[in-house]
Amino acid sequence: MGQIQILSKEVANKIAAGEVVERPASVVKELVENSIDAGSSKIEVKVKNGGKDLIQIIDNGVGLAEDEVKLAFQRHATSKISRANDLFTLRTLGFRGEALPSIAAVSKVEMISKTEDSLSGTRLQIVGGEVKARESCGCRKGTNIIVRDLFFNTPVRYKYLKQTSTEIGHISDIINRLSLAYPKISFSLMHNDRQIVETTGNGNLLDVIFNIYGRDVAKEMIEVDYQDNYMQLTGYISKPTITRSSRRHQSYFVNDRFIKSGLMSKAVKEAYHTLLTIDRYPIVVLKLKLNPVHVDVNIHPTKLQAKFSRGNVVYELVKDGVSKAIKESDLVPKLKLEENDKQQKINQKKKVKKEEFKQDELNLKTSNTNNTKPNTGNVSSRDTKKERAEKIDKLFRVDQPQVENNNKKSKIKEEADNYNDKFNLVALGQIHQTYIVAQGQDGMYIIDQHAAHERIIYDQLLSKFKKQEIQIQELLVPLQLDLTYQEVQLLKERKERLEGLGFNLEEFGESSYLVRGVPIQLYNLDDKQLILDSIDNLLAQEVTENYQLVEGFITMMACKTAIKGGDKLSTTEMNHLLGQIKEYDVTNCPHGRPVMMHLGKKELEKKFKRR
């Protein structure tokens, strides 16, 4: 080990920059927050090549005086606090005095700034942390800062940046969060001279939500306005009918600072309670106002985490506020009868046949003497229990002579006696319409019907994808997806792969896509929600490998199209499923859960004291 020594200023600055400047989006966040603290009402962000080549922030804030421009790039130089106690009463986004020197240490920076009282502005140029030029110039009030060639002197850091579409996606997400926090500020984001984000700054939070998530989401949002003697909670939450598969669309703000709060997220989930299905999350934009003394944001240089001195009180306030808003809102979905009538007319004109939409992947063959093919249908999560039962019946139905109730016992016995090696399990019944009880030569089996069917469909779809045999069902009425810019970029990257899975996608404006065709297995399901969920999963996992994308998507398709727990199956239907289990050698579902449990004959005899 070498001798202990003090690091040079250059090395120390680069190390410090690693904590603050992770990627171009980090630079945008720090600089825009400075503009907000400067009292700006209009902030323009211009980016090239995902922020790798250029990031420019232009604001109309108070600006910097001539003697402050250079000082601002000194480490721990700040106008926001002056003593340690100020950390407990923070009302600004920035306060550490680390952002500007950290950015300047790993890029080429040019700053032009002017106060309202100054006759001229000041231009400062810094390269790799060293001041190269300083001069007076003519400019308008406010600050214009340009960051070029990020990580030019740290090639290892540059190497780990993602592709341009990914980086600009992160930047747009930052601007979206800040525009939600400050609806009175007009934000503009341009990438390669193309407008991506633009808000009016009219102070209407719902307008910003509309701008980010689209009309369908904005019109289903519930306003939250709740307070006690110490805190106030405002914002919007989505109705239980508008959900996503991850928490990515939940934005929490404390004193207008965006934070990642597990406490607030947990409180929101508890407030919705039984209104949400498993692994579904509402879209949330909530703002908490409280005395800065009761919250500490000086935990990490990114300032995305916060600790509450009275976390239990915050939890109860958020839960009660969201619960009250939900109870006072109208949660009954509105039916669009006109659209349904229109759809029926289109169906009549097209003379659509049910056979066109059958689900090939079930392929539940049976050896009936009439050689008739099973009728097929599609099961939607939106169907009533009666409709679901009817459609499930169609999935398995074959033309067979009717069996009277008094002959059922003899039929089951006959099937059990006529055991053959190909289908070595015989269905005896269901438990809670979720688990199939079956008899085998070596005892009793209990099968999870959803998990088993899910695995069968998964194996079939994966096989068809590898053979390029997935069929596409064109939609009579295309589905419109309103996406955030980050989601649009991801969809562009994955478009070819998604089309390989059976989706026909078409760009429709700046932030929308039309789905004109879907895999035939998904016809009549909530395809829009499926695609949105898939995009959420891709963003959360940042999947880049083709096989991961395909496998993840097919897993979701299988889960959506499989029969569900609670679906009532006939003996014939259960036996078909058992035959498929044998054919595909099913042991676990795609998520890893076991498909069946076995209780051997000897174990049964022991339990009943026969041994």
Side-chain angles (χ1 to χ4, degrees):
M1 186 172 69
Q3 293 182 337
I4 296 176
Q5 58 182 326
I6 297 175
L7 294 175
S8 67
K9 183 179 178 181
E10 179 186 6
V11 174
N13 285 341
K14 288 183 179 179
I15 292 173
E19 295 182 319
V20 179
V21 185
E22 180 185 357
R23 63 196 325 157
S26 308
V27 176
V28 172
K29 174 182 177 295
E30 297 294 341
L31 296 181
V32 173
E33 285 183 349
N34 281 345
S35 296
I36 293 171
D37 287 339
S40 306
S41 61
K42 183 177 181 180
I43 301 174
E44 300 175 53
V45 181
K46 299 179 180 180
V47 177
K48 290 189 177 179
N49 192 23
K52 302 172 190 177
D53 295 344
L54 179 138
I55 297 172
Q56 183 176 15
I57 313 294
I58 305 172
D59 68 50
N60 61 352
V62 295
L64 296 174
E66 182 180 0
D67 59 339
E68 292 179 326
V69 174
K70 183 179 178 180
L71 183 61
F73 286 90
Q74 297 297 312
R75 191 160 298 280
H76 303 305
T78 179
S79 62
K80 283 110 186 231
I81 62 174
S82 58
R83 58 183 190 272
N85 287 340
D86 292 342
L87 291 172
F88 302 105
T89 57
L90 289 172
R91 297 187 182 277
T92 57
L93 296 176
F95 59 88
R96 300 172 68 99
E98 293 179 329
L100 287 179
S102 295
I103 294 168
V106 293
S107 64
K108 302 173 183 178
V109 177
E110 178 181 353
M111 174 185 276
I112 302 172
S113 190
K114 177 183 176 297
T115 63
E116 188 171 13
D117 298 332
S118 301
L119 295 177
S120 62
T122 303
R123 176 187 285 112
L124 182 72
Q125 291 181 320
I126 300 179
V127 178
E130 295 184 7
V131 177
K132 296 297 183 180
R134 178 183 175 186
E135 60 184 0
S136 297
C137 65
C139 61
R140 65 181 186 182
K141 186 196 80 166
T143 300
N144 180 352
I145 184 167
I146 303 171
V147 179
R148 294 185 175 91
D149 301 330
L150 186 63
F151 300 134
F152 80 98
N153 55 353
T154 53
V156 175
R157 295 287 304 280
Y158 186 88
K159 182 177 70 174
Y160 285 100
L161 292 178
K162 305 294 183 181
Q163 53 187 313
T164 298
S165 58
T166 301
E167 296 300 341
I168 188 59
H170 285 288
I171 292 173
S172 68
D173 186 57
I174 291 292
I175 298 301
N176 285 339
R177 306 277 190 188
L178 290 171
S179 62
L180 289 170
Y182 297 91
K184 290 184 179 181
I185 298 177
S186 173
F187 290 91
S188 171
L189 172 62
M190 297 188 71
H191 181 236
N192 295 338
D193 299 322
R194 181 182 177 186
Q195 191 80 48
I196 294 175
V197 177
E198 186 173 21
T199 63
T200 61
N202 64 3
N204 190 328
L205 178 57
L206 197 59
D207 283 353
V208 181
I209 293 174
F210 177 91
N211 191 49
I212 295 172
Y213 295 110
R215 181 186 61 184
D216 291 344
V217 170
K219 69 181 181 180
E220 295 296 322
M221 298 298 281
I222 303 170
E223 185 174 8
V224 177
D225 191 351
Y226 188 77
Q227 62 182 9
D228 62 8
N229 294 330
Y230 306 99
M231 296 175 284
Q232 182 183 23
L233 184 71
T234 59
Y236 288 88
I237 56 174
S238 67
K239 292 182 179 180
T241 52
I242 303 294
T243 60
R244 296 291 186 266
S245 62
S246 72
R247 294 186 177 91
R248 285 195 60 262
H249 300 277
Q250 295 186 352
S251 300
Y252 299 102
F253 305 91
V254 175
N255 294 337
D256 293 329
R257 180 192 303 278
F258 171 67
I259 66 167
K260 296 179 179 179
S261 175
L263 179 75
M264 296 178 71
S265 179
K266 185 177 179 181
V268 169
K269 184 178 180 180
E270 180 63 25
Y272 277 84
H273 197 44
T274 57
L275 296 176
L276 298 175
T277 56
I278 298 175
D279 295 331
R280 303 301 305 177
Y281 304 94
I283 296 173
V284 175
V285 180
L286 286 179
K287 300 183 177 185
L288 182 65
K289 293 281 188 181
L290 75 165
N291 192 320
V293 173
H294 299 301
V295 59
D296 181 12
V297 295
N298 187 28
I299 299 173
H300 191 273
T302 59
K303 302 179 288 262
L304 288 174
Q305 301 175 25
K307 285 186 177 180
F308 299 100
S309 61
R310 298 188 298 175
N312 59 328
V313 178
V314 172
Y315 178 89
E316 292 298 328
L317 178 90
V318 173
K319 187 183 74 170
D320 293 345
V322 173
S323 296
K324 181 175 180 290
I326 292 173
K327 289 177 182 177
E328 293 177 352
S329 65
D330 181 11
L331 299 182
V332 180
K334 302 294 187 296
L335 294 177
K336 299 180 180 179
L337 297 178
E338 294 181 0
E339 290 189 10
N340 290 341
D341 292 341
K342 181 180 179 181
Q343 181 69 37
Q344 290 177 3
K345 292 179 181 178
I346 294 175
N347 289 342
Q348 290 175 357
K349 290 181 179 180
K350 296 285 185 178
K351 295 182 180 180
V352 180
K353 299 180 181 180
K354 292 181 181 179
E355 287 79 5
E356 293 176 1
F357 310 135
K358 64 183 179 180
Q359 294 185 324
D360 293 338
E361 80 283 6
L362 293 176
N363 195 26
L364 302 176
K365 299 179 181 178
T366 179
S367 55
N368 62 86
T369 54
N370 295 327
N371 292 325
T372 55
K373 294 183 179 180
N375 293 327
T376 58
N378 293 279
V379 182
S380 169
S381 58
R382 298 167 288 182
D383 290 333
T384 64
K385 287 185 177 181
K386 182 178 179 181
E387 290 170 336
R388 286 179 64 79
E390 291 175 352
K391 290 185 177 181
I392 285 292
D393 184 56
K394 289 180 181 179
L395 291 177
F396 296 95
R397 185 183 301 154
V398 292
D399 294 332
Q400 291 180 334
Q402 294 295 320
V403 180
E404 299 297 333
N405 290 335
N406 57 3
N407 289 331
K408 283 185 177 179
K409 290 183 180 179
S410 61
K411 180 181 178 181
I412 293 174
K413 185 177 184 301
E414 181 183 349
E415 289 177 338
D417 292 339
N418 293 332
Y419 169 92
N420 61 69
D421 291 333
K422 185 177 181 181
F423 304 112
N424 64 344
L425 296 180
V426 177
L428 303 177
Q430 272 181 300
I431 302 175
H432 304 307
Q433 296 182 357
T434 301
Y435 305 101
I436 297 173
V437 180
Q439 175 184 317
Q441 279 188 327
D442 54 349
M444 180 179 73
Y445 289 80
I446 301 177
I447 297 97
D448 184 328
Q449 63 191 37
H450 171 72
H453 197 200
E454 181 182 13
R455 181 67 194 208
I456 292 165
I457 296 174
Y458 170 84
D459 288 343
Q460 291 173 337
L461 289 177
L462 196 59
S463 174
K464 288 184 178 182
F465 178 81
K466 292 177 179 178
K467 297 176 182 177
Q468 297 183 339
E469 294 178 351
I470 289 183
Q471 296 174 286
I472 299 177
Q473 174 62 57
E474 296 297 327
L475 301 179
L476 297 176
V477 180
L479 293 171
Q480 181 175 336
L481 301 178
D482 295 318
L483 308 171
T484 65
Y485 185 80
Q486 188 177 16
E487 291 170 335
V488 169
Q489 294 305 303
L490 185 71
L491 203 56
K492 285 181 178 179
E493 289 179 26
R494 310 289 198 260
K495 184 172 182 287
E496 184 176 345
R497 300 176 188 175
L498 292 175
E499 288 176 343
L501 287 167
F503 288 93
N504 183 358
L505 303 170
E506 177 184 319
E507 286 190 58
F508 188 66
E510 294 291 329
S511 59
S512 297
Y513 263 83
L514 289 181
V515 183
R516 295 194 174 276
V518 298
I520 198 168
Q521 292 81 9
L522 296 181
Y523 190 83
N524 254 3
L525 291 182
D526 195 348
D527 313 297
K528 183 174 182 178
Q529 191 61 61
L530 176 66
I531 298 173
L532 290 174
D533 289 351
S534 300
I535 292 172
D536 278 346
N537 290 336
L538 292 174
L539 284 170
Q541 300 170 12
E542 292 192 352
V543 173
T544 56
E545 297 295 334
N546 188 46
Y547 77 91
Q548 291 178 313
L549 170 68
V550 172
E551 189 174 277
F553 209 98
I554 287 178
T555 298
M556 184 173 292
M557 289 169 61
C559 185
K560 291 282 185 180
T561 54
I563 56 177
K564 304 294 187 291
D567 288 337
K568 187 176 181 179
L569 305 179
S570 69
T571 303
T572 303
E573 294 162 355
M574 288 185 280
N575 279 323
H576 284 320
L577 189 58
L578 295 177
Q580 291 273 301
I581 292 173
K582 172 66 176 178
E583 181 180 349
Y584 287 91
D585 192 22
V586 174
T587 57
N588 295 82
C589 80
H591 305 291
R593 293 188 294 110
V595 164
M596 68 176 71
M597 295 175 60
H598 174 223
L599 188 59
K601 183 179 179 181
K602 291 182 180 180
E603 187 64 26
L604 280 171
E605 290 174 342
K606 286 181 181 180
K607 293 294 183 182
F608 285 98
K609 309 298 182 183
R610 289 180 173 270
R611 278 183 174 267

